[in-house]
Amino acid sequence: MRLTSARGTAATATTLAVLSGALFALPGTTAQAADTLISQGKTVTASSAENGGTAAGLAVDGNTATRWSSAASDQQWLQVDLGATATISKVVLNWEAAYGKSYQIQTSADGASWTTIHTTTNGTGGQETLNVTGTGRYVRMNGLTRGTGYGYSLWEFQVFGSVSGGSSCSTADAAQGRPTTASSTENAGTPASAATDGNSGTRWASAASDPQWIQVDLGSVQQLCRVVLNWEAAYGKSYQIQTSADGASWTTVKTTTNGTGGTESLDVAGSGRYVRVNGLTRGTGWGYSLWDFKVNTGTGLPPIQGGGDLGPNVIVFDPSTPNIQAKLDQVFQQQESAQFGTGRYQFLFKPGTYNNLNAQVGFYTSVNGLGLSPDDTQINGDITVDAGWFNGNATQNFWRSTENLAVSPVSGTDRWAVSQAAPFRRMHIKGSLNLAPNGYGWASGGYIADSKIDGQIGNYSQQQWYTRDSSIGGFSNGVWNQVFSGVQGAPPQGFPNPPYTTLDTTPVSREKPFLYLDGNDYKVFVPAKRTDARGTSWGNGAPQGSSIPLSQFYVVKAGATAATINAALAQGLNLLFTPGVYHVDQTINVTRPDTVVLGLGLATVIPDNGVTAMKVADVDGVKLAGFLIDAGPVNSPSLLEVGPANASADHAANPTTVQDVFVRVGGAGAGKATAAVVVNSDDVIVDHTWLWRADHGDGVGWETNRSDYGLIVNGDDVLTTGLFVEHFNKYDVQWFGERGKTVFFQNEKAYDAPNQAAVQNGSTQGYAAYRVGPDVQTHEAWGLGSYCYYNVDPSIRQEHGFEAPVRAGVKFHDLSVVSLGGNGQYNHVINSTGGATSGTSTVPSTVVSFP
């Protein structure tokens, strides 16, 4: 939202001087040795699970209060993928009451052929420590006879040992004789299998068109180190080498844009059961033709290490650190107006008390406490956002955050004057909170969650605001759309006058993961899911959730490649992006259940070659949080995809969450994407996002930063809380899944539509901001606003802000549309319901209930 004709310019980030004394060494990791725990957090599967609350992954999560339990029958098994070949020295089984009387410990190189390294026939339950000798990538407990009438149940399944070091690349051809398929064949004499038959006198040839592919099934997931292509005269000029675990979702491990034909030996790093040559551009007028397609696999490839330091842009304080204020001021001076700069910074305050501080928070800066509770880290001072850099206008105070701190403001009132993409989470303000800039200039709305404000929140000039699962002393004023769910002390329902939408509870929520200190060890706390939540998740005893040590995260720092990131994920590590800007030439694929991808300091991911920046498989409990995806100059089909097309698994017990994940198309430079975010999986929670097609900055124009759709929801039972989506060329939100829910929606239509024809949707004037598909039977939404500011052609008319099928199961509450200064107008609010906007007075047209 920018209710102003002024436009901020990108400030060039300058190099930050070394902050002496500000960066503290973090606990590092050392090479794994015998009797080192190597299974925790790795990918784990089982023959069965008793129910959704006893999934296989709970036996390797390091939490002895969670467990895996099987169906009540024999034979049952639980196996862990260590990510690489390991020497096994010990296995520890921590049984729940339902234990195994007779079982085997087995190892495997491929997850298919098993070797028994220990057998127990008289198990007693409790904790059993088994000294074993064996090697393998996979280790399993193979239960033969139960000790009770229930199934098998393990609090923890721990494997100790050492992962093989060194690396070698076999010369054996793993593809020879394996099943091979292709997109096409030139004729019956050039089948796909001729490229993997070991005979250099036979060949595969494709049809004479682009693109074409050939793929081989290796029979099991393997580590790849080399692909050798022996081209016939009809070669590939541009092509990719891709891998897949299932033959459906592909990861690019090598890209060639200037192939020369002949024999090409390509070093690669990745894993997969399927390997594909994906031809993009032919080198001749013929098709693609290969005499040989060979794949070499690695043995004992060194694993990627988790943990380590957090890099130069994470600045850690403790109460004894000298000159804290000077260091805060130095970063703020750089970041105050650097709206499209490249600087990224994270301040971390260790538990303790800090006096006389004013942390002014600029662009791409996050300020967090390192306690398990906000009250562990006390700031006697202020955490401040104001708008002096923009003449008292806060409508461009984006991309910053504060979390997990207790603040006693000097004046009794803290100032947090922000607009989109500026979350205020897990905070305790021991006083009041002012959401307006000094002088009460314009401000465009924001987000508070899991916070306690002892005094009153002064909304003042904020056009819209969403507060979730918090406790406040009161709330004053309102402009167009103020929404509360699960907030103790919230004002009563009043829309449209006052413009308050108040839900007593939030249907489903799970707070954002956060970094904290456990003694001297850094861990990430993952809060538990809550249903019908009200009030904060902290302050009432020990927080509910689980902790993951930093050693189970690949700490992503400058120079990291997409291939390395994907290898770390395949190995079973989570991701912690340190502050920085990361270009990726292949999709980051999150395929393991319960993976955490957490960003610090608004870490930013940019796809360079038109790929989707990140994809999540149709698995349970992935947590994406705290990062920005920036579109690249080559159009991407989407920038974030949660679940593949036609995903159908039930994740109600353990949903995937997307929190403080922001998407930008243009502004920092030319960027394009057909859609910003696509949600295909069921039961996903999108908790605070800003999807923004830029209206100012660099690389901005109706076609320059083209992006037709902001959010597309195909999955069922998806919930969005705090949904901000702006300026897309067509529909900002399209919702096709059943039983979807939205609590708070803020939107502006694209400013820069050149004329009515550019936004004409068949016979309908304009594309709705929020559209529910015509076949949807059940949908519900509360507190939605759409605004138009067609400043290129103010005569443009928008038929409606919202569009939905008219049926009893589709319900909307508290809707508004606004014409900003008469720059364009709405004919209706939703479908043909609700009065038109008119004139230049910026007065909302509202609908309290639909249908």
Side-chain angles (χ1 to χ4, degrees), residues 110 137-138 174 218-224 243 270-273 297-298:
D110 57 8
R137 172 172 173 166
Y138 302 85
L218 302 180
S220 64
V221 173
Q222 300 189 42
Q223 294 287 336
L224 310 180
T243 64
S271 63
R273 172 175 173 168
T297 58

Side-chain angles (χ1 to χ4, degrees), residues 131-153:
N131 294 314
V132 297
T133 300
T135 60
R137 172 172 173 166
Y138 302 85
V139 181
R140 83 174 172 184
M141 186 287 297
N142 187 36
L144 304 175
T145 307
R146 292 164 291 147
T148 71
Y150 297 97
Y152 298 80
S153 183

Side-chain angles (χ1 to χ4, degrees), residues 36-164:
T36 296
L37 178 61
I38 56 177
S39 57
Q40 193 162 303
K42 294 297 195 296
T43 301
V44 64
T45 53
S47 53
S48 66
E50 181 182 7
N51 56 58
T54 60
L58 299 177
V60 295
D61 63 357
N63 184 350
T64 55
T66 62
R67 64 186 175 93
W68 162 71
S69 61
S70 76
S73 63
D74 294 316
Q75 170 182 31
Q76 301 288 339
W77 52 261
L78 177 80
Q79 73 183 48
V80 61
D81 178 358
L82 303 175
T85 300
T87 299
I88 314 303
S89 60
K90 183 171 66 178
V91 172
V92 178
L93 304 176
N94 186 0
W95 294 101
E96 194 248 1
Y99 66 98
K101 181 72 172 177
S102 172
Y103 59 86
Q104 300 165 321
I105 303 299
Q106 299 178 309
T107 63
S108 173
D110 57 8
S113 177
W114 294 91
T115 298
T116 300
I117 60 173
H118 181 88
T119 299
T120 292
T121 57
N122 57 352
T124 57
Q127 182 165 299
E128 294 185 272
T129 300
L130 312 171
N131 294 314
V132 297
T133 300
T135 60
R137 172 172 173 166
Y138 302 85
V139 181
R140 83 174 172 184
M141 186 287 297
N142 187 36
L144 304 175
T145 307
R146 292 164 291 147
T148 71
Y150 297 97
Y152 298 80
S153 183
L154 283 165
W155 295 113
E156 286 295 300
F157 175 39
Q158 296 179 313
V159 178
F160 293 79
S162 59
V163 178
S164 302

Side-chain angles (χ1 to χ4, degrees), residues 200-455:
S200 295
T202 61
R203 65 185 176 95
W204 162 71
S206 77
S209 62
D210 290 315
Q212 300 289 339
W213 54 262
I214 182 172
Q215 72 184 49
V216 60
D217 177 0
L218 302 180
S220 64
V221 173
Q222 300 189 42
Q223 294 287 336
L224 310 180
C225 55
R226 186 186 304 114
V227 171
V228 180
L229 304 177
N230 182 8
W231 295 100
E232 194 249 359
Y235 67 98
K237 182 71 172 179
S238 172
Y239 59 86
Q240 300 165 321
I241 305 299
Q242 299 179 310
T243 64
S244 173
D246 57 9
S249 178
W250 294 90
T251 298
T252 301
V253 296
K254 187 78 172 182
T255 299
T256 295
T257 57
N258 57 352
T260 57
T263 298
E264 295 184 272
S265 181
L266 309 169
D267 291 331
V268 298
S271 63
R273 172 175 173 168
Y274 300 86
V275 184
R276 174 166 81 173
V277 181
N278 188 35
L280 304 175
T281 308
R282 290 164 291 147
T284 71
W286 305 98
Y288 299 81
S289 184
L290 282 167
W291 296 112
D292 293 298
F293 171 24
K294 297 180 178 180
V295 178
N296 299 145
T297 58
T299 57
L301 294 175
I304 295 170
Q305 294 296 315
D309 71 87
L310 298 182
N313 289 352
V314 175
I315 301 162
V316 185
F317 299 124
D318 70 27
S320 66
T321 303
N323 303 318
I324 294 176
Q325 187 64 56
K327 294 155 191 170
L328 293 169
D329 291 346
Q330 188 174 5
V331 171
F332 177 68
Q333 183 178 10
Q334 173 183 320
Q335 298 300 113
E336 180 183 13
S337 58
Q339 183 173 175
F340 298 109
T342 57
R344 303 286 187 274
Y345 294 95
Q346 174 74 63
F347 289 110
L348 297 175
F349 285 82
K350 292 183 178 182
T353 300
Y354 300 80
N355 295 315
N356 304 315
L357 291 182
N358 180 18
Q360 299 183 83
V361 185
F363 285 100
Y364 313 109
T365 304
S366 297
V367 182
N368 294 41
L370 284 171
L372 197 53
S373 165
D375 289 332
D376 293 340
T377 309
Q378 173 68 43
I379 305 292
N380 293 320
D382 295 273
I383 307 292
T384 302
V385 177
D386 207 342
W389 74 278
F390 201 44
N391 300 315
N393 182 338
T395 60
Q396 292 185 26
N397 280 351
F398 315 136
W399 303 307
R400 64 198 74 199
S401 67
T402 188
E403 300 180 39
N404 204 31
L405 293 163
V407 179
S408 296
V410 172
S411 67
T413 300
D414 194 58
R415 185 185 302 278
W416 187 255
V418 299
S419 290
Q420 290 82 358
F424 190 91
R425 287 185 182 268
R426 202 176 176 83
M427 295 289 290
H428 184 186
I429 302 299
K430 298 179 178 179
S432 296
L433 186 64
N434 184 345
L435 302 180
N438 186 26
Y440 301 97
W442 285 322
S444 182
Y447 171 92
I448 293 172
D450 202 27
S451 294
K452 183 178 181 183
I453 316 300
D454 291 347

